[in-house]
Amino acid sequence: MNRSAGFLSALYLATSTGLAWTAVIALRQGPPWAACLFAAAALVPVIAVVRESVLGDQRRALAEIRRPAVCPGGSGAGAADDIVRAELDTACCERWWTSCGTDHDSTCPRRVPRSSAA
């Protein structure tokens, strides 16, 4: 995690702590709905911290994939090609692509017959 992500995570956790403390105060002295509202709001910054850590992990993984791919003939030279090939292999047919996955060609082996029975 770089400095800006660490700073954001610390800020998110401080905000979450403040909102949790406000929820405790609202539970003691205010209406119960306000305590529930502040408790729910205290979870949002925690989700942001998790998101920052996931984004950092993805950036590191992408850097590891790109590093060997830059050197031709290296051990990871075809890593990007393998990823693209795997993604294209999971696709079905031309009509599936153009209909955003809602329809299949008549010759597509993954075609599921539609029925009106619910």
Side-chain angles (χ1 to χ4, degrees), residues 43-54:
L43 294 176
V44 175
V46 174
I47 294 169
V49 169
V50 171
R51 183 177 177 268
E52 286 293 326
S53 65
V54 167

Side-chain angles (χ1 to χ4, degrees), residues 3 9 18 29 32 39 43 54 57 61 67 69 71 75 88 101 104 107 113:
R3 285 186 185 182
S9 295
Q29 300 174 359
L43 294 176
V54 167
D57 292 342
R67 191 175 310 123
C71 306
S75 61
L88 289 175
H104 293 273
T107 59

Side-chain angles (χ1 to χ4, degrees), residues 53-116:
S53 65
V54 167
L55 286 175
D57 292 342
Q58 288 177 347
R59 286 186 192 116
R60 278 190 294 279
L62 184 61
E64 289 176 10
I65 289 173
R66 284 185 178 174
R67 191 175 310 123
V70 171
C71 306
S75 61
D81 292 336
D82 293 339
I83 293 170
V84 171
R85 188 175 299 111
E87 290 296 324
L88 289 175
D89 287 344
T90 60
C92 287
C93 55
E94 182 67 28
R95 187 174 293 158
W96 183 87
W97 278 98
T98 57
S99 66
C100 298
T102 59
D103 203 9
H104 293 273
D105 287 336
S106 59
T107 59
C108 180
R110 296 183 186 175
R111 185 172 62 109
V112 176
R114 295 177 186 248
S115 71
S116 60

